[in-house]
Amino acid sequence: MTEVARSLPAVVLGLLLNILDGISYGMIIFPATGVFIDLGAMGVSMFFVSTIVSQLIYSAGASGFPGANGSMMIEVVPFFHIMAARIAQDIGETNKREIVATTLVAFVFSSLLTGLTFFLLGFFRLGSLIGFFPRHILVGCIGGVGVFLIITGLNVSTRLQDDEFSLSLDTLLFFLRGSNLVLWAPAFALAALLRVITSRWHHQLILPTYFLIIPAVFYIVVLSAGFDLDTLRRERWLFEAARSEEKWYRFYNYFGFTKTRWGPLWATLPTQFALLFFNVLHPPLNVPALAVSLDTDVDTNKELIAHGYSNIFAGLLGTVPNYLVYVNTLLFYRVGGTTRLSGFMLALATVAVLLAGTAPIAYIPIMVVSALIFVLGIDLVKEALWDTRHRVSKPEYITIASIMVAMTVWDFVIGVLFGIIVSCFFFVIQNSQRRSIRAMHTGETTLSTVRRPSAHRAYLREVSRQTTALHLQGFLFFGTITHVEETIRTLVAEPAWVHAPIRFLVLDFSRVLGVDLSAAEAFVRVQRLLSGRRVALVICGAGDEKVLRALDSVGLVELPDVELFMTFNDAMEWTENVYLRAWFDSSSQEAKPVALLGRHENVYIDLQESLPHSPRRAQLRDAGWRIMASSKNKNKNKNGTPAVPPEPFNTLEQAFSPYAADRAVLEQLAPYFERMTVPKGHVLWGQGDAADGLYVIGAGVLRATYHFAAHTPVIEESMVPGTLAGELSGLAGLARNATVVAERPAVLWRLGADALRRLEAERPELARTFTALVLKAAKLDFDILLSALATRQ
């Protein structure tokens, strides 16, 4: 009994809200025109049946909110009017029973369709998918419902039939006529006054108290002035008694299988699906918002299943769709309705109101119903137009306004479709304006993470200016690919080509989400353009199956002079190897073969130009003779042929020659290094292992793998002959920061920890000089590694 007593205030408040909603929105379920003009009371009964069904199901445990309040879905009323008007038009106004029977079946079908959709979404746990639908389209639809309710409020106040309303000067003059103005203006003023009050005070009892005061004041005035109630009904201040005195179950008498016309019913399917679309968007938005307001955690998919049950049962009982009402539930909780018992008590109280029949409607002032309709209409229009003015972009705001205009001028189905089309149009425009090229670099600033001898690096820094890398992003479609294509055309156009000719164009697709057919075909056009300039197209990062399939669908990867790699680093490594091979194949400066990485050992591209003095070839030849050849001229026999110094001096010279002015320093260091060989696949050390010294690579290739943190990409770095490995951790005596594996059989010259200590003890000055050499080489290596990481972000 204590719990019952605690729940009574909430039950009273919930019942008042149900009554107010029922007489306001139940009265307008059917359009106030033609054969439907006398069915307002029947709509109220259907409203209460749907509300009771939802309340019982939610309170029985289907909902995660113990005090959930269910009610008829008010926003579907405009769609009901469209279906009813279409059915009446198809059947003919003279066949009232058939029109009403078919209309009722259409309403029931909407409940079953809505319920089945909710249930399937919840059962397959797809509730989160609805959140991806553009919110501003729903806001526009809500605004359109608001305009509809304001128009309905005008019609209810003046008893203007729906089919007589039009957006014309005559209609405006009708509403401004004195006898009509006094009917709707007080109701509109009362709605506006309520909004002013609630903007300053936010107590949950303001709304029900306000609408209880209005009829009380109305009847005080009536009794004081001695007005006759029948006269007030004729003057359109009260509802007519004849339309209200009927049993609540009367609407079941209109159902009839033989009376239902199936052709007109199927003709309402487009409206049914538009209504379904609108219905489905509400619970996934209302439920999380209510959970936040009540500081509780609920499963959206469970709530969708609950909505499925409530709407399916509503359909089986011959009534209209329903849903969990955010505002009513929030107020119910705040007054103490936090238990399932309070929900059952509200359902029983609503049943009592239903059983009392619709006769009391004849004594309700029309201005009360109109004011309630105006209140919701004003709120929805405000939510759509005023509350969003600084929260959405201009295209989204235009979409919201255009949906409202389309729904008002034409109908709701056209409004929804128009909103989707406008949103798609603005989506294309907005995405076309986004940068599809994230960054553009030349090869000299995006060298691969391969550690190379200093001479090779200096050569590559210069010749890699002939490599241009474009990092693409987003979804590439007909709206965004134009910018990419124009940028590439600019690179090979005459002004840019004369200043900076290119040999490789690297396209990085690692941040590309997808490629449509128009974009894929644009890349084919680009390849033909590049082929005319003898520029190789290098594609990398297209590991996403959709992206690679799109490029392959137009035959791009099969075209000549098109290379495909998994990562951007692989692509840049390949271009560097091609530049080095071009020099090695055209000169006799190397006394022994130079290792290029195993993954691309056999790559070759024809760098011989048809014009012998082309800028690209001239740059390669000039850089090769200035940098590569000059670095080898130091070691020549008297007859001019290359000489091979003894080891480990030769390897040390490759690693430190740019920083060691005195070759005697390297000769003095050589005795402290020991030779070791490792097979392919041998792990020299793992990340986190203790340092055992540093290594200079004499032959073969090592590969270092860096794991910086969880959920971050693994960074790989290759090391070729003439470079250092483990230098910083070896000098500092700290743990290794990478795992190093022999990618090929390798010859290494190792300066162990004991040998380093012996060097420091025996030759401290030489040790300091060696440390300085190592730090200079390491700085260059890490500068290139950091540059590679920075340009790949």
Side-chain angles (χ1 to χ4, degrees), residues 583-606:
W583 169 253
F584 298 148
D585 289 349
S586 62
S587 70
S588 58
Q589 295 298 316
E590 294 294 334
K592 65 176 183 177
V594 175
L596 297 177
L597 299 192
R599 288 175 297 165
H600 311 312
E601 185 173 10
N602 298 320
V603 298
Y604 178 75
I605 190 168
D606 185 9

Side-chain angles (χ1 to χ4, degrees), residues 516-573:
D516 77 346
L517 181 60
S518 300
E521 290 180 342
F523 286 119
V524 174
R525 294 194 299 270
V526 164
Q527 191 278 334
R528 291 171 183 162
L529 176 68
L530 297 176
S531 183
R533 286 288 196 178
R534 305 191 71 175
V535 176
L537 177 62
V538 183
I539 297 173
C540 61
D544 187 287
E545 182 181 352
K546 294 182 294 184
V547 174
L548 188 59
R549 186 168 60 245
L551 299 178
D552 189 47
S553 67
V554 293
L556 178 64
V557 296
E558 304 297 332
L559 294 176
D561 295 335
V562 175
E563 300 292 336
L564 185 65
F565 297 97
M566 284 297 297
T567 67
F568 180 72
N569 191 68
D570 291 345
M572 296 306 297
E573 191 176 295

Side-chain angles (χ1 to χ4, degrees), residues 290-362:
L290 182 60
V292 171
S293 299
L294 298 178
D295 193 22
T296 187
D297 186 26
V298 296
D299 183 359
T300 301
N301 292 300
K302 178 181 178 180
E303 298 304 315
L304 287 175
I305 292 176
H307 280 73
Y309 285 137
S310 66
N311 280 278
I312 290 173
F313 277 105
L316 294 176
L317 290 175
T319 188
V320 292
N322 52 64
Y323 66 162
L324 185 150
V325 186
Y326 170 82
V327 174
N328 290 20
T329 303
L330 188 60
L331 295 177
F332 197 69
Y333 264 79
R334 288 179 178 175
V335 186
T338 58
T339 64
R340 300 200 182 278
L341 176 61
S342 59
F344 279 118
M345 290 173 63
L346 175 60
L348 292 175
T350 308
V351 169
V353 172
L354 175 66
L355 295 177
T358 56
I361 293 177

Side-chain angles (χ1 to χ4, degrees), residues 90 98 139 223 225 245 360 374 385 415 475 477 526 551 602 710 747 761:
D90 290 349
E98 294 181 356
V139 172
L223 293 174
E245 295 176 353
F374 281 136
L385 292 181
F475 188 83
F477 67 109
V526 164
L551 299 178
N602 298 320
V747 176

Side-chain angles (χ1 to χ4, degrees), residues 634 656-666 769 773 776:
K634 300 174 184 177
F656 298 117
S657 59
Y659 320 112
D662 188 357
R663 301 178 70 192
V665 172
L666 303 180
T769 302
L773 292 176
K776 289 176 182 179

